[in-house]
Amino acid sequence: MSLIEKLGRLWNLRGLFFESLGYSLIIAFGAVVLGFIIGVLLAVVRIAPKNNPIIKFFDKIAVVYITVIRGTPTLVQLLILYSSVLVVFKSMSTNLLVPIIAFGINSGAYMAEIIRSGINSVDPGQMEAGRSVGLSWTTTMRKIIIPQAIKIVVPTIFNEIIILVKETSVVSYIVLRVGGVQKWDLLGIAEKLGLAVPACYLVFLFAAALIYLAVVMLLTLIQHLIERRLKKNER
Amino acid sequence: MNDNYIEIKGLYKNFGKLEVLKGVSCNIKKGEKVAIIGASGSGKSTMLRCMNLLETPTYGEVWVDGKLLTPIDPYLHFDVIRLSKTYQKLYTEAIASGTSSEEVDKAVIANIKKNDLLKNHEGSAYAKAIKQLYKQNFQQVDLSRRDMGMVFQHFNLFNNLTVLENMTLAPVELKLKTKPEAEKTAMELLHRIGLEDKAKVYPSTLSGGQKQRIAIVRALAMDPQVMLFDEPTSALDPEMVGEVLDLVKQVADAGMTVVIVTHEMGFAKEVADRVLFMADGVILEEGTPDELFNHPKNARTKDFLSKVL
Ligand SMILES: Nc1ncnc2c1ncn2[C@@H]1O[C@H](COP(=O)(O)OP(=O)(O)OP(=O)(O)O)[C@@H](O)[C@H]1O
Ligand SMILES: [Mg+2]
């Protein structure tokens, strides 16, 4: 097969690639949202003054969570969740939530550490000023500290999002199902097509790589826009 | 109760092993202007920050407007000490030797205080008394802080909010005012300091003097009973010190209770009713500005003043 023929074949299959990109993005987006929420909650628990046993208890849990999640490979976590869901549900007709939760839980641990260091780098005088006008710790956190911390951590958070988007490619290790039909993520579809047409395997892989690259470049653009926007505020 | 607005009783503050306050007591009356002076590291800021519990005292009590902000310090309450098992044991032992009961009582209490003899379990009468004292007098510190404006050396304006939002956040968030009311008050205060045109800008565009004046009116926007200033001018370029001190003076002249930690001796002399000199975590000497600046009694006070005046 000549390269032209290979590219022609790839072009005919573009619909499949874009559909798979869609699944990759849905998984990544869901995981980012979940990861961010988990991250903020864990970070706040870690940073809260340890003046009552409930907070101390949650802090311990947060520490264990972060240690375990960061200490084990994402793929292992995904497979464990996937297999345990299989045990309970045998077969779910749509199981996109499984990788979303697995990657979300994973990303949450990293986001927690990022957000925590962001909160820590906000001038402590900001908290003192908030408390000294009678605002509670929580209100000051919500209105003053977290908004400033978010701004500090935008670059690092985007870095984490970019890593996460690429990491979703390990989802090709499990069987994705939507409405009872098997589906593939971006890397999954390249591999599947490569098995069917071994001569074109490399072309398919390159196609997948290029699409990942395009998504990451788009994310980087969004990051710069957000950073510019945030800078315009406060100035 | 009495006309003291702030009462600090037997206050100790340790940072780890470092003892910063070593038994400070002082009362600040309604409307009084008190200046706190002393060498760097003597504990001035720590004492001021204990008044609104930005620092948690290690021992001692802080009372504001007749309300207790800290836990009960049993060593400050003789009636409570008398209920303790330790007191009763020591008293019974001592009274057997035949001294008068008043003297024994005094000696035993002094002994208990000096040697920190109270334990965790001093009997139910003792525990009940402490609990009741606490319940009767305690107030959530967040509530008291609404009445105590604080101004910091480094301004601490909220960086993510505009000047106007800085001033309206707390009154609105705490439901003391509606947003339009809070904005009206804020604009009036900004007008007073000639900075209405800065209402919509973010703090990073302001000069140090402007930031500090806004920090002051931000505190005033809460209608506080007392203003605590921690070296409000030490982070400023010299040419901006005047505008800030003028505003502090206006606040003082308007009848507000003021506590100010300052290195501006001239200002302390001019504005204060009473000056406290701190050294090594205690109030070493206090008096009117005339007494303290012109006729200091303590050698360390004299020494300090000779260096700064
Ligand atoms: N959060 C803290 N942790 C540990 N040590 C502290 C803390 N805050 C203050 N200290 C120490 O306590 C001592 C007294 O500090 P403080 O700020 O009260 O002094 P000060 O009289 O206000 O001095 P200055 O004139 O320099 O402001 C200093 O030795 C300081 O290093
Ligand atoms: Mg100080």
Side-chain angles (χ1 to χ4, degrees), chain A residues 123 125-126 128-137 139-140 142-145 147-148 232-235, chain B residues 49 52 54 142 145-146 148 150 152 156-161 169-170 173-174 202 204-205 218-219 222:
Chain A
D123 173 11
Q126 298 283 306
E128 293 186 346
R131 298 311 305 276
S132 75
V133 284
L135 296 175
S136 67
W137 185 86
T139 308
T140 313
R142 212 160 38 82
K143 294 280 178 180
I144 307 297
I145 310 296
Q148 293 184 44
K232 206 161 68 195
N233 259 335
E234 309 192 10
R235 220 141 272 281
Chain B
R49 292 157 56 82
N52 65 356
L54 281 186
D142 283 349
R145 282 183 181 142
R146 297 177 185 184
M148 291 192 278
M150 175 115 186
F152 302 86
N156 296 354
L157 291 178
F158 303 131
N159 295 323
N160 59 323
L161 303 179
L169 176 70
E173 206 49 50
L174 298 171
Y202 286 88
S204 58
T205 60
R218 173 179 70 181
M222 289 291 293

Side-chain angles (χ1 to χ4, degrees), chain B residues 20-308:
Chain B
V20 175
L21 295 182
K22 304 169 190 170
V24 177
S25 298
C26 91
N27 297 332
I28 289 158
K29 290 195 175 57
K30 277 203 180 94
E32 199 180 12
K33 332 290 169 206
V34 176
I36 305 172
I37 62 170
S40 183
S42 55
K44 306 181 297 293
S45 299
T46 307
M47 167 158 124
L48 192 76
R49 292 157 56 82
C50 279
M51 290 181 184
N52 65 356
L53 253 66
L54 281 186
E55 301 292 354
T56 315
T58 312
Y59 304 106
E61 292 174 359
V62 175
W63 295 69
V64 170
D65 202 13
K67 296 286 192 319
L68 178 67
L69 303 189
T70 53
I72 294 281
D73 182 345
Y75 290 105
L76 297 173
H77 303 272
F78 292 180
D79 311 356
V80 174
I81 294 182
R82 290 191 188 103
L83 294 172
S84 69
K85 281 183 185 163
T86 305
Y87 172 91
Q88 279 157 12
K89 180 164 157 276
L90 293 176
Y91 184 86
T92 329
E93 281 168 16
I95 205 83
S97 66
T99 353
S100 86
S101 60
E102 249 168 68
E103 269 170 55
V104 171
D105 176 68
K106 251 169 98 180
V108 168
I109 286 180
N111 179 19
I112 287 179
K113 280 180 73 164
K114 182 154 170 270
N115 298 312
D116 190 11
L117 296 181
L118 290 179
K119 306 196 182 59
N120 284 331
H121 303 290
E122 288 288 0
S124 60
Y126 170 87
K128 213 171 123 194
I130 293 229
K131 215 167 161 182
Q132 192 170 8
L133 255 182
Y134 185 72
K135 246 174 87 179
Q136 275 169 2
N137 297 299
F138 179 71
Q139 168 158 298
Q140 277 286 323
V141 67
D142 283 349
L143 286 177
S144 291
R145 282 183 181 142
R146 297 177 185 184
D147 297 331
M148 291 192 278
M150 175 115 186
V151 175
F152 302 86
Q153 187 173 352
H154 295 287
F155 332 126
N156 296 354
L157 291 178
F158 303 131
N159 295 323
N160 59 323
L161 303 179
T162 63
V163 166
L164 191 65
E165 289 164 346
N166 259 275
M167 298 178 65
T168 55
L169 176 70
V172 173
E173 206 49 50
L174 298 171
K175 305 209 163 50
L176 304 173
K177 289 193 174 119
T178 65
K179 197 158 176 231
E181 281 168 3
E183 285 181 350
K184 188 163 163 278
T185 318
M187 288 311 293
E188 282 165 9
L189 285 163
L190 285 176
H191 177 74
R192 227 173 85 188
I193 58 172
L195 291 176
E196 313 101 296
D197 57 321
K198 299 292 185 192
K200 292 277 188 285
V201 309
Y202 286 88
S204 58
T205 60
L206 301 169
S207 75
Q210 291 172 333
K211 281 183 190 167
Q212 194 59 304
R213 287 187 291 143
I214 286 165
I216 294 172
V217 290
R218 173 179 70 181
L220 292 177
M222 289 291 293
D223 288 325
Q225 299 291 315
V226 47
M227 287 285 283
L228 310 175
F229 294 91
D230 190 359
E231 300 192 30
T233 57
S234 346
L236 295 177
D237 292 336
E239 73 269 21
M240 293 172 181
V241 170
E243 61 187 73
V244 170
L245 289 184
D246 282 347
L247 180 58
V248 178
K249 188 158 185 317
Q250 277 178 38
V251 171
D253 289 346
M256 175 110 38
T257 313
V258 169
V259 185
I260 179 168
V261 174
T262 186
H263 288 294
E264 301 282 339
M265 297 305 150
F267 184 75
K269 231 184 245 181
E270 188 186 333
V271 170
D273 302 320
R274 184 154 57 108
V275 182
L276 312 181
F277 171 69
M278 287 191 72
D280 288 338
V282 295
I283 299 172
L284 212 57
E285 187 166 354
E286 63 177 291
T288 63
D290 179 55
E291 284 166 356
L292 205 101
F293 289 113
N294 303 332
H295 315 284
K297 295 191 190 73
N298 194 296
R300 298 226 10 214
T301 319
K302 285 178 195 163
D303 185 48
F304 173 77
L305 290 174
S306 72
K307 280 181 192 141
V308 295

